[in-house]
Amino acid sequence: MRRPANYNTKQREAILDYIISLDGAHVTAGQIVKHFSNMPIPIGRTTIYRHLDKLMETGKLRRYTTDGVSGVCYQYIGDEVGCYTHFHLKCEDCGELIHMECNMLGRLEGHILKEHSFQINALKTVLYGQCSACSEKE
Amino acid sequence: MRRPANYNTKQREAILDYIISLDGAHVTAGQIVKHFSNMPIPIGRTTIYRHLDKLMETGKLRRYTTDGVSGVCYQYIGDEVGCYTHFHLKCEDCGELIHMECNMLGRLEGHILKEHSFQINALKTVLYGQCSACSEKE
DNA sequence: TTGCGTGCAAAGGTTTTGCATGGCA
DNA sequence: TGCCATGCAAAACCTTTGCACGCAA
């Protein structure tokens, strides 16, 4: 039974504050590491990576792969309720994150669990593609 | 003026044959390296990476980053048009990447396009979760 | 013969792990 | 006090580069 306590440490708070201050912008782990290495109270690589993982697992952070960017990008999505029950669509062109609530997804989860014996984790899953605004631009 | 000659070497042919034999499935550079390291006539990392780059430039291969998969994925596209019909499931416990071919996915894509005006990119999308083997272990 | 192809070794960058120490509850 | 958090160092990974040798044209 893994039940991390999530102690309230200075580092944890500082990292979360920083990501929130970016106001939804994407940031790589490397950028965060660099940011905190120049601070009066520096924070180590390891700590940053571990907190990013934890914040992902609690749904506060979303993680993306971006073509041409070395390393993975993170984005703060906050405490919005319901992120456990819906999926996310990410436009690869404009970067827009769309929260998609739809019972089609419940059926998808059910189908994959029943027919493919696989339990989807909606918190970590992001569907990539192109939004309507960007497809119209073409 | 760089104008590579693209000599017909055994290695070049072997790599292309292998990727074609995957029939549109996605494969990482690491998987290809591993595949050829166990062959009677092994092929080195360097050669494989360089051929992948070349095949990309000639348009035979598509390269894309896949969320959560370590390393970049490649796919043979040749003259073909389709082959967008399968998704990937990645087990968060054992790391296994499962290729899932299922017409449920076609319906999902159609639904999201029609009702949510979003065109899914199946090449990049990975559904996270837990596979049956790992859920049984618990 | 010429110049690209090959592959070992080593470097570069990102992420993870081991382990001793520090700090919250 | 009991864990968890922290962070250094080192390892594990993926990918690229340098360089000497091999081989197709």
Side-chain angles (χ1 to χ4, degrees):
Chain A
M1 263 305 182
R2 301 290 326 288
R3 203 98 231 310
N6 274 338
Y7 288 0
N8 245 339
T9 64
K10 281 171 202 148
Q11 290 88 342
R12 175 187 151 82
E13 201 172 333
I15 292 169
L16 194 51
D17 281 355
Y18 175 59
I19 294 171
I20 290 174
S21 79
L22 296 174
D23 202 30
H26 294 179
V27 64
T28 65
Q31 288 170 329
I32 300 173
V33 169
K34 193 179 289 176
H35 175 81
F36 281 110
S37 66
N38 295 326
M39 294 303 261
I41 301 115
I43 302 179
R45 254 192 311 286
T46 318
T47 304
I48 288 170
Y49 276 102
R50 284 194 277 233
H51 274 300
L52 291 176
D53 277 354
K54 280 204 176 172
L55 289 169
M56 277 233 332
E57 272 159 25
T58 59
K60 287 193 197 304
L61 222 56
R62 214 129 270 260
R63 174 191 154 133
Y64 308 105
T65 63
T66 308
D67 284 313
V69 176
S70 66
V72 177
C73 283
Y74 295 87
Q75 178 189 32
Y76 180 72
I77 59 170
D79 301 305
E80 299 185 44
V81 191
C83 278
Y84 297 86
T85 62
H86 66 249
F87 275 79
H88 293 90
L89 307 173
K90 176 82 173 171
C91 179
E92 293 181 77
D93 289 354
C94 66
E96 172 98 4
L97 181 70
I98 299 159
H99 300 250
M100 171 180 152
E101 195 110 27
C102 176
N103 50 19
M104 180 69 177
L105 295 169
R107 277 191 281 150
L108 177 70
E109 277 193 78
H111 171 87
I112 291 178
L113 182 58
K114 214 184 279 181
E115 303 297 329
H116 304 273
S117 306
F118 193 93
Q119 175 68 57
I120 298 276
N121 176 357
L123 268 182
K124 280 196 183 170
T125 298
V126 176
L127 305 175
Y128 291 90
Q130 191 181 46
C131 73
S132 55
C134 288
S135 70
E136 277 166 16
K137 266 186 226 150
E138 287 182 355
Chain B
M1 264 308 179
R2 305 285 327 289
R3 204 94 234 310
N6 274 338
Y7 288 1
N8 245 338
T9 64
K10 280 171 204 148
Q11 289 88 343
R12 175 187 151 81
E13 202 174 333
I15 291 170
L16 193 50
D17 280 354
Y18 174 60
I19 293 171
I20 290 173
S21 79
L22 295 175
D23 202 32
H26 308 171
V27 65
T28 66
Q31 289 171 327
I32 300 173
V33 169
K34 194 180 287 177
H35 174 80
F36 282 109
S37 67
N38 295 326
M39 295 301 261
I41 301 115
I43 302 180
R45 253 191 312 287
T46 319
T47 304
I48 288 170
Y49 277 103
R50 284 196 276 233
H51 273 301
L52 290 176
D53 278 353
K54 281 204 176 171
L55 289 168
M56 277 237 328
E57 274 161 21
T58 59
K60 286 194 198 303
L61 222 56
R62 178 197 301 261
R63 173 191 160 133
Y64 51 93
T65 62
T66 305
D67 197 359
V69 177
S70 65
V72 176
C73 284
Y74 295 86
Q75 179 193 32
Y76 180 73
I77 46 176
D79 328 300
E80 215 164 318
V81 187
C83 242
Y84 294 79
T85 59
H86 74 268
F87 272 73
H88 290 114
L89 308 172
K90 184 170 173 80
C91 179
E92 295 180 74
D93 289 355
C94 65
E96 171 100 2
L97 187 66
I98 300 159
H99 297 247
M100 169 178 154
E101 196 113 24
C102 176
N103 50 19
M104 179 69 176
L105 296 169
R107 278 191 280 149
L108 175 72
E109 276 193 77
H111 171 87
I112 290 179
L113 182 57
K114 214 184 277 182
E115 305 295 329
H116 304 273
S117 306
F118 192 93
Q119 175 67 59
I120 296 278
N121 176 0
L123 287 176
K124 183 161 181 172
T125 298
V126 174
L127 305 175
Y128 286 98
Q130 191 181 46
C131 73
S132 54
C134 288
S135 70
E136 276 166 17
K137 265 186 228 151
E138 285 182 355

Short mmCIF file of all heavy atoms in Angstrom, two decimals, chain B residues 54-84:
data_model
loop_
_atom_site.label_atom_id
_atom_site.label_comp_id
_atom_site.label_asym_id
_atom_site.label_seq_id
_atom_site.Cartn_x
_atom_site.Cartn_y
_atom_site.Cartn_z
N LYS B 54 18.22 9.12 -43.03
CA LYS B 54 18.15 9.20 -44.49
C LYS B 54 16.78 8.79 -45.02
O LYS B 54 16.23 9.41 -45.92
CB LYS B 54 19.21 8.29 -45.11
CG LYS B 54 20.58 8.91 -45.09
CD LYS B 54 21.45 8.32 -46.17
CE LYS B 54 22.80 9.04 -46.18
NZ LYS B 54 23.76 8.37 -47.06
N LEU B 55 16.25 7.74 -44.43
CA LEU B 55 14.96 7.25 -44.89
C LEU B 55 13.88 8.29 -44.60
O LEU B 55 12.90 8.41 -45.34
CB LEU B 55 14.62 5.92 -44.21
CG LEU B 55 15.47 4.75 -44.70
CD1 LEU B 55 15.31 3.54 -43.79
CD2 LEU B 55 15.11 4.39 -46.12
N MET B 56 14.06 9.02 -43.53
CA MET B 56 13.13 10.10 -43.23
C MET B 56 13.19 11.17 -44.30
O MET B 56 12.17 11.67 -44.75
CB MET B 56 13.53 10.74 -41.91
CG MET B 56 13.02 10.01 -40.73
SD MET B 56 12.05 11.13 -39.75
CE MET B 56 12.86 12.68 -40.05
N GLU B 57 14.42 11.52 -44.67
CA GLU B 57 14.58 12.61 -45.62
C GLU B 57 14.03 12.26 -46.99
O GLU B 57 13.60 13.13 -47.74
CB GLU B 57 16.06 12.99 -45.74
CG GLU B 57 16.47 13.99 -44.67
CD GLU B 57 17.98 14.02 -44.49
OE1 GLU B 57 18.69 13.62 -45.42
OE2 GLU B 57 18.42 14.45 -43.41
N THR B 58 14.05 10.98 -47.32
CA THR B 58 13.49 10.57 -48.60
C THR B 58 12.00 10.29 -48.48
O THR B 58 11.36 9.94 -49.47
CB THR B 58 14.19 9.32 -49.12
OG1 THR B 58 14.02 8.27 -48.15
CG2 THR B 58 15.67 9.57 -49.29
N GLY B 59 11.47 10.44 -47.29
CA GLY B 59 10.02 10.32 -47.13
C GLY B 59 9.52 8.90 -46.97
O GLY B 59 8.31 8.68 -46.93
N LYS B 60 10.40 7.94 -46.89
CA LYS B 60 9.95 6.56 -46.75
C LYS B 60 9.51 6.27 -45.32
O LYS B 60 8.77 5.33 -45.05
CB LYS B 60 11.07 5.59 -47.11
CG LYS B 60 11.34 5.51 -48.60
CD LYS B 60 12.20 4.30 -48.89
CE LYS B 60 12.86 4.41 -50.26
NZ LYS B 60 11.87 4.59 -51.34
N LEU B 61 10.04 7.07 -44.42
CA LEU B 61 9.82 6.80 -43.01
C LEU B 61 9.22 8.04 -42.36
O LEU B 61 9.55 9.16 -42.72
CB LEU B 61 11.17 6.52 -42.35
CG LEU B 61 11.24 5.39 -41.35
CD1 LEU B 61 10.76 4.12 -42.00
CD2 LEU B 61 12.68 5.23 -40.91
N ARG B 62 8.36 7.80 -41.39
CA ARG B 62 7.83 8.90 -40.62
C ARG B 62 8.38 8.79 -39.21
O ARG B 62 8.45 7.70 -38.63
CB ARG B 62 6.30 8.83 -40.59
CG ARG B 62 5.66 9.92 -39.77
CD ARG B 62 4.24 9.54 -39.46
NE ARG B 62 3.49 9.35 -40.71
CZ ARG B 62 2.70 10.29 -41.23
NH1 ARG B 62 2.54 11.40 -40.61
NH2 ARG B 62 2.05 10.05 -42.34
N ARG B 63 8.73 9.93 -38.67
CA ARG B 63 9.30 9.95 -37.33
C ARG B 63 8.40 10.77 -36.44
O ARG B 63 7.92 11.82 -36.83
CB ARG B 63 10.67 10.61 -37.42
CG ARG B 63 11.33 10.88 -36.11
CD ARG B 63 12.53 11.78 -36.35
NE ARG B 63 12.90 12.42 -35.11
CZ ARG B 63 14.15 12.49 -34.66
NH1 ARG B 63 15.13 12.00 -35.38
NH2 ARG B 63 14.42 13.08 -33.53
N TYR B 64 8.16 10.31 -35.25
CA TYR B 64 7.33 11.10 -34.37
C TYR B 64 7.68 10.77 -32.95
O TYR B 64 8.16 9.69 -32.63
CB TYR B 64 5.85 10.82 -34.63
CG TYR B 64 5.53 9.38 -34.63
CD1 TYR B 64 5.11 8.77 -33.47
CD2 TYR B 64 5.69 8.60 -35.77
CE1 TYR B 64 4.86 7.42 -33.44
CE2 TYR B 64 5.45 7.26 -35.75
CZ TYR B 64 5.04 6.68 -34.58
OH TYR B 64 4.80 5.35 -34.55
N THR B 65 7.43 11.74 -32.11
CA THR B 65 7.65 11.51 -30.70
C THR B 65 6.37 10.97 -30.12
O THR B 65 5.28 11.41 -30.46
CB THR B 65 8.01 12.81 -29.98
OG1 THR B 65 6.92 13.71 -30.11
CG2 THR B 65 9.24 13.44 -30.57
N THR B 66 6.50 10.01 -29.28
CA THR B 66 5.33 9.37 -28.70
C THR B 66 5.37 9.59 -27.19
O THR B 66 6.36 9.30 -26.55
CB THR B 66 5.33 7.88 -29.02
OG1 THR B 66 5.41 7.72 -30.42
CG2 THR B 66 4.07 7.22 -28.52
N ASP B 67 4.31 10.09 -26.69
CA ASP B 67 4.20 10.44 -25.29
C ASP B 67 4.55 9.26 -24.39
O ASP B 67 3.93 8.21 -24.46
CB ASP B 67 2.77 10.90 -25.00
CG ASP B 67 2.69 11.64 -23.69
OD1 ASP B 67 3.72 11.76 -23.03
OD2 ASP B 67 1.60 12.08 -23.36
N GLY B 68 5.53 9.43 -23.56
CA GLY B 68 5.83 8.42 -22.56
C GLY B 68 6.67 7.26 -23.03
O GLY B 68 7.10 6.45 -22.24
N VAL B 69 6.90 7.18 -24.33
CA VAL B 69 7.74 6.11 -24.84
C VAL B 69 9.15 6.63 -24.91
O VAL B 69 9.40 7.71 -25.44
CB VAL B 69 7.27 5.67 -26.23
CG1 VAL B 69 8.18 4.61 -26.80
CG2 VAL B 69 5.85 5.17 -26.17
N SER B 70 10.08 5.88 -24.32
CA SER B 70 11.45 6.36 -24.32
C SER B 70 12.03 6.21 -25.72
O SER B 70 12.05 5.13 -26.29
CB SER B 70 12.29 5.57 -23.32
OG SER B 70 12.38 4.23 -23.71
N GLY B 71 12.46 7.31 -26.26
CA GLY B 71 12.98 7.29 -27.61
C GLY B 71 11.92 7.66 -28.63
O GLY B 71 10.73 7.63 -28.34
N VAL B 72 12.38 7.96 -29.81
CA VAL B 72 11.51 8.40 -30.89
C VAL B 72 11.03 7.18 -31.66
O VAL B 72 11.74 6.20 -31.78
CB VAL B 72 12.30 9.35 -31.80
CG1 VAL B 72 11.49 9.77 -32.99
CG2 VAL B 72 12.76 10.56 -31.01
N CYS B 73 9.81 7.24 -32.15
CA CYS B 73 9.27 6.13 -32.91
C CYS B 73 9.32 6.39 -34.41
O CYS B 73 9.22 7.53 -34.86
CB CYS B 73 7.81 5.86 -32.51
SG CYS B 73 7.65 5.02 -30.94
N TYR B 74 9.49 5.30 -35.15
CA TYR B 74 9.51 5.39 -36.60
C TYR B 74 8.43 4.48 -37.17
O TYR B 74 8.06 3.48 -36.57
CB TYR B 74 10.88 4.96 -37.14
CG TYR B 74 11.98 5.90 -36.73
CD1 TYR B 74 12.63 5.72 -35.52
CD2 TYR B 74 12.36 6.95 -37.54
CE1 TYR B 74 13.65 6.58 -35.13
CE2 TYR B 74 13.37 7.82 -37.16
CZ TYR B 74 14.01 7.63 -35.96
OH TYR B 74 15.00 8.47 -35.58
N GLN B 75 7.99 4.83 -38.36
CA GLN B 75 6.99 4.02 -39.03
C GLN B 75 7.23 4.11 -40.53
O GLN B 75 7.45 5.19 -41.07
CB GLN B 75 5.59 4.53 -38.71
CG GLN B 75 4.50 3.75 -39.40
CD GLN B 75 3.16 4.44 -39.34
OE1 GLN B 75 3.11 5.66 -39.33
NE2 GLN B 75 2.09 3.67 -39.29
N TYR B 76 7.17 2.96 -41.18
CA TYR B 76 7.30 2.95 -42.63
C TYR B 76 6.02 3.43 -43.25
O TYR B 76 4.94 2.95 -42.90
CB TYR B 76 7.61 1.54 -43.11
CG TYR B 76 7.77 1.44 -44.60
CD1 TYR B 76 8.90 1.93 -45.22
CD2 TYR B 76 6.78 0.87 -45.38
CE1 TYR B 76 9.06 1.85 -46.59
CE2 TYR B 76 6.92 0.78 -46.76
CZ TYR B 76 8.06 1.28 -47.35
OH TYR B 76 8.21 1.21 -48.70
N ILE B 77 6.11 4.40 -44.14
CA ILE B 77 4.89 4.84 -44.80
C ILE B 77 4.90 4.54 -46.29
O ILE B 77 3.85 4.36 -46.87
CB ILE B 77 4.61 6.35 -44.57
CG1 ILE B 77 5.84 7.17 -44.79
CG2 ILE B 77 4.06 6.56 -43.19
CD1 ILE B 77 5.56 8.65 -44.66
N GLY B 78 6.08 4.45 -46.88
CA GLY B 78 6.17 4.06 -48.29
C GLY B 78 5.19 4.80 -49.16
O GLY B 78 5.16 6.03 -49.17
N ASP B 79 4.40 4.06 -49.89
CA ASP B 79 3.41 4.69 -50.75
C ASP B 79 2.04 4.68 -50.08
O ASP B 79 1.09 5.23 -50.59
CB ASP B 79 3.31 3.95 -52.09
CG ASP B 79 4.64 3.35 -52.50
OD1 ASP B 79 5.58 4.14 -52.65
OD2 ASP B 79 4.72 2.11 -52.61
N GLU B 80 2.01 4.01 -48.97
CA GLU B 80 0.73 3.75 -48.35
C GLU B 80 0.07 5.03 -47.83
O GLU B 80 0.71 6.03 -47.56
CB GLU B 80 0.93 2.79 -47.18
CG GLU B 80 -0.23 1.84 -47.01
CD GLU B 80 0.17 0.67 -46.13
OE1 GLU B 80 1.30 0.17 -46.32
OE2 GLU B 80 -0.62 0.30 -45.28
N VAL B 81 -1.21 4.95 -47.64
CA VAL B 81 -1.94 6.11 -47.17
C VAL B 81 -2.42 5.92 -45.73
O VAL B 81 -2.22 6.77 -44.88
CB VAL B 81 -3.17 6.40 -48.06
CG1 VAL B 81 -3.81 7.72 -47.65
CG2 VAL B 81 -2.75 6.44 -49.52
N GLY B 82 -3.01 4.80 -45.48
CA GLY B 82 -3.71 4.59 -44.20
C GLY B 82 -2.81 4.17 -43.05
O GLY B 82 -1.84 4.83 -42.76
N CYS B 83 -3.14 3.09 -42.41
CA CYS B 83 -2.36 2.58 -41.31
C CYS B 83 -2.39 3.46 -40.08
O CYS B 83 -1.51 3.43 -39.25
CB CYS B 83 -0.92 2.32 -41.72
SG CYS B 83 -0.52 0.59 -41.57
N TYR B 84 -3.39 4.31 -40.00
CA TYR B 84 -3.54 5.13 -38.82
C TYR B 84 -4.54 4.47 -37.88
O TYR B 84 -5.04 5.09 -36.98
CB TYR B 84 -4.08 6.50 -39.20
CG TYR B 84 -3.12 7.30 -40.02
CD1 TYR B 84 -2.96 7.05 -41.37
CD2 TYR B 84 -2.36 8.28 -39.43
CE1 TYR B 84 -2.06 7.77 -42.12
CE2 TYR B 84 -1.46 9.02 -40.15
CZ TYR B 84 -1.31 8.75 -41.51
OH TYR B 84 -0.42 9.48 -42.23
#
